[in-house]
Structure formats: structure tokens, C-alpha cells
Amino acid sequence: MEKDGAAQDNPNSQQKKLIPPYMKAISGSFGGIVEATCLQPIDVIKTRLQLDRSGNYKGILHCGTTISQTEGVRALWKGLTPFATHLTLKYALRMGSNAVLQSAFKDPETGKVSSHGRFLSGFGAGVLEALVIVTPFEVVKIKLQQQRGLSPDLLKYKGPVHCAQTIIREEGLRGLWAGASPTVMRNGTNQAAMFSAKNAYDVLLWKKHEQDGKVLQPWQSMISGFLAGTAGPICTGPFDVVKTRLMAQSREGGELKYKGMIHAIRTIYAEEGLVALWKGLLPRLMRIPPGQAIMWAVADQIIGLYERRYLQITPL
């Protein structure tokens, strides 16, 4: 009788055991480190293409080749330190805050999160990461990436710390949050779509539900993550281009060319055409979906290990 009672109690006790948000944060941070190291060159090329108003680069391959020939191969990893730090902190905050927000939307009886609850949790996590981490780190990264030349002595910014200090000195602390509005719109929309799509693909392709004890193979996580990461770049292309332009401009020549997000969209459209608002889309699609594939492959393994070892959840 006691064994039967324990067996009946066990499912309920397992349902009450939840993966703590800090474990989601840790899994995301490790995924971010791996992603940044693998995909930094694509991000450099994307930034250069978005800042190219005179048509110096003929495409992705030409841009990468030109950078390597004129500035050296190491130039493709320009801004790696702020980019890796940025991704590590961003994914930690994204995964952790999304877990906290999802817990607020969970049905108290079933413990499940509705589709709109998952969407809003993702949007909230995206907005939070944009304001706290993404904007200042991307301002520094873009300033470093837009510099051209082989000699460090001729570069205005000597490194990420010096770059941040120079921005604060010349533009004030608010200079580190240039382009915050389009960044909030981009990241909020991206994460709302990504978390919703990742869960949907896991269920559809692999019959994997949250905290069911089933650990996906890395290749399965990569497929789900890759597919989940494709919609965001297409929908948020204009926000990303505007964000890059706002972050890259400075007051050295006098007045700023772009006064804000709406003004930048109108100006780019008037001067360069509608297609210019999706500049850099192909390298974004080359970086973000593979990046999500790498991140989720790492994160899912860490979460699965935690479920098995500490929560003792076994596959249903």
C-alpha cells in the first residue's frame, strides 16, 4: 500500500518541480559563448553591408574577401569581445526573464502556458534584454566594426572599453543607448516569435513538451532552433537597419543625419528606396538561424542534464 501511495504521489511531486530560471539563464549563457565564436565574421559582414551607402561591397562574399585582403583575416572577428560578452549576458537575461514571465502566465491548475502567454513572455524578455544589454553593447560593437584600416594607431577606438569611454565623453551616457527604440521593437518581436516557434517545432517535429523528461539530440535542437530563428529577421529587417544607422552616426560632422527611428525610416526610404530597409538581410539569415541552432543545441543539453540529475524527471 505504501509503495502504491508513493507511486501515486510521485507524478504530482514531479509536476511541482520546476526548472529554476537561473538554470535557464546558465544554459543560455553557455550557448551564447559558442555562438559568438562561430558566427562573428558573418555579423561583421552584415554590419559593413548595412553601413555601405556608396556600393563598395558587391555582396556577402565580396565584402568578406575585401575585408580579409585589405584589413587581414582577424578583422572578421572585430568586436568579438563585446559581441561574446553581449551574447552571453543577453542569452542569460533572455532565458532567465522568459522563464520568470512564463511562470506568471502558467495555468495554476495544469501548469501549462498558453500560446498568448508564451508570446507575451518572449516579447517581454526581448524588450528587457534590448534596454539592459543589447543596445549599449551593440553601439560599441558597431562603432568598432565600422572602423577600417590595418594600423591600430590610426583607428579612433582602440578597444571596447576605450570605445565606450569615448562615446560617453563625446555624446554623454545616452550615446550608449542610441537606437534604443528600433532595438526594443526588433528584439521584442524576435523573441516573441522565437520562443513561440521553438516550442511549436519541438512539439510538432519531436513530440517534445516542456519538462517531460525527454532530452532532444543536439541535431534535433539545432533543427528546431534554426527554423524558429528564420521568421524574426524577415519581419524586423527595417528595425535592424535603422538601429545600425542610428548607432553608427556621431556628432563629429555637426548635426545628426537621423533624428530618430521614424525619421530614419523615412530618410532611408526616400534616399535609397524600400529595399534598403532590408539591407543585410541575407547575412542576418546566415547568422541568426544558425546562431539559434547552436544556442539551443547547447542550452537543451544543459537543461536536459539538470532535469535528469537534479529533478529526476524521466521521459514519459
Side-chain angles (χ1 to χ4, degrees):
M1 293 293 292
E2 290 181 0
K3 290 183 178 179
D4 292 341
Q8 290 175 356
D9 290 339
N10 189 48
N12 292 333
S13 63
Q14 283 193 5
Q15 287 179 6
K16 292 179 181 178
K17 293 179 179 178
L18 301 176
I19 300 171
Y22 73 83
M23 273 310 302
K24 294 288 187 74
I26 291 172
S27 70
S29 65
F30 276 100
I33 293 172
V34 179
E35 177 188 340
T37 305
C38 295
L39 302 180
Q40 173 68 357
I42 297 176
D43 193 70
V44 171
I45 292 172
K46 182 212 76 167
T47 300
R48 290 292 183 88
L49 287 173
Q50 289 181 337
L51 295 175
D52 181 27
R53 300 179 191 173
S54 54
N56 293 324
Y57 303 121
K58 309 306 179 186
I60 294 173
L61 290 177
H62 179 258
C63 181
T65 303
T66 303
I67 293 172
S68 299
Q69 291 176 345
T70 59
E71 304 174 50
V73 176
R74 290 181 61 184
L76 290 171
W77 274 267
K78 275 186 176 181
L80 177 60
T81 300
F83 186 52
T85 306
H86 150 238
L87 275 189
T88 302
L89 295 176
K90 178 177 74 173
Y91 284 146
L93 180 60
R94 175 190 299 175
M95 300 288 280
S97 61
N98 182 71
V100 171
L101 291 170
Q102 280 196 9
S103 65
F105 286 104
K106 279 185 178 179
D107 187 297
E109 295 181 1
T110 64
K112 295 182 179 180
V113 182
S114 64
S115 298
H116 74 272
R118 196 179 305 279
F119 185 89
L120 291 175
S121 296
F123 189 86
V127 170
L128 186 61
E129 72 179 17
L131 292 175
V132 176
I133 294 173
V134 176
T135 302
F137 273 93
E138 289 215 357
V139 167
V140 171
K141 174 179 69 75
I142 287 171
K143 295 284 190 183
L144 290 172
Q145 288 179 349
Q146 70 176 341
Q147 296 187 121
R148 303 180 185 182
L150 286 169
S151 175
D153 296 332
L154 299 178
L155 299 178
K156 177 178 179 179
Y157 306 115
K158 312 306 180 186
V161 175
H162 178 258
C163 180
Q165 291 174 337
T166 304
I167 293 170
I168 293 173
R169 184 174 64 252
E170 294 180 351
E171 305 174 40
L173 190 62
R174 292 181 60 184
L176 289 174
W177 272 266
S181 296
T183 307
V184 163
M185 293 301 299
R186 182 197 68 172
N187 282 58
T189 306
N190 269 343
Q191 301 330 309
M194 189 273 294
F195 279 109
S196 299
K198 175 61 166 61
N199 180 76
Y201 283 123
D202 282 349
V203 174
L204 180 65
L205 297 176
W206 323 118
K207 311 302 181 188
K208 159 68 178 170
H209 298 267
E210 288 187 351
Q211 292 196 218
D212 61 1
K214 181 178 180 181
V215 182
L216 296 179
Q217 294 295 320
W219 65 269
Q220 293 175 314
S221 296
M222 292 185 79
I223 291 175
S224 294
F226 185 94
L227 293 173
T230 55
I234 297 173
C235 297
T236 62
F239 293 128
D240 192 62
V241 171
V242 169
K243 169 199 71 76
T244 302
R245 295 287 181 91
L246 290 174
M247 289 179 176
Q249 66 180 353
S250 64
R251 296 183 181 275
E252 288 182 354
E255 290 297 318
L256 297 176
K257 178 179 178 66
Y258 306 114
K259 311 303 181 184
M261 181 174 69
I262 303 300
H263 179 259
I265 291 175
R266 289 175 175 173
T267 303
I268 294 170
Y269 173 73
E271 294 180 354
E272 304 172 52
L274 183 64
V275 178
L277 290 170
W278 274 268
K279 271 189 174 182
L281 176 61
L282 187 55
R284 280 191 83 203
L285 288 173
M286 290 177 63
R287 189 190 73 74
I288 293 177
Q292 290 302 300
I294 294 169
M295 193 281 292
W296 281 110
V298 175
D300 280 350
Q301 292 302 304
I302 294 174
I303 293 299
L305 178 64
Y306 184 87
E307 285 182 342
R308 294 288 187 83
R309 180 166 295 184
Y310 296 101
L311 300 186
Q312 297 180 343
I313 299 177
T314 55
L316 298 176

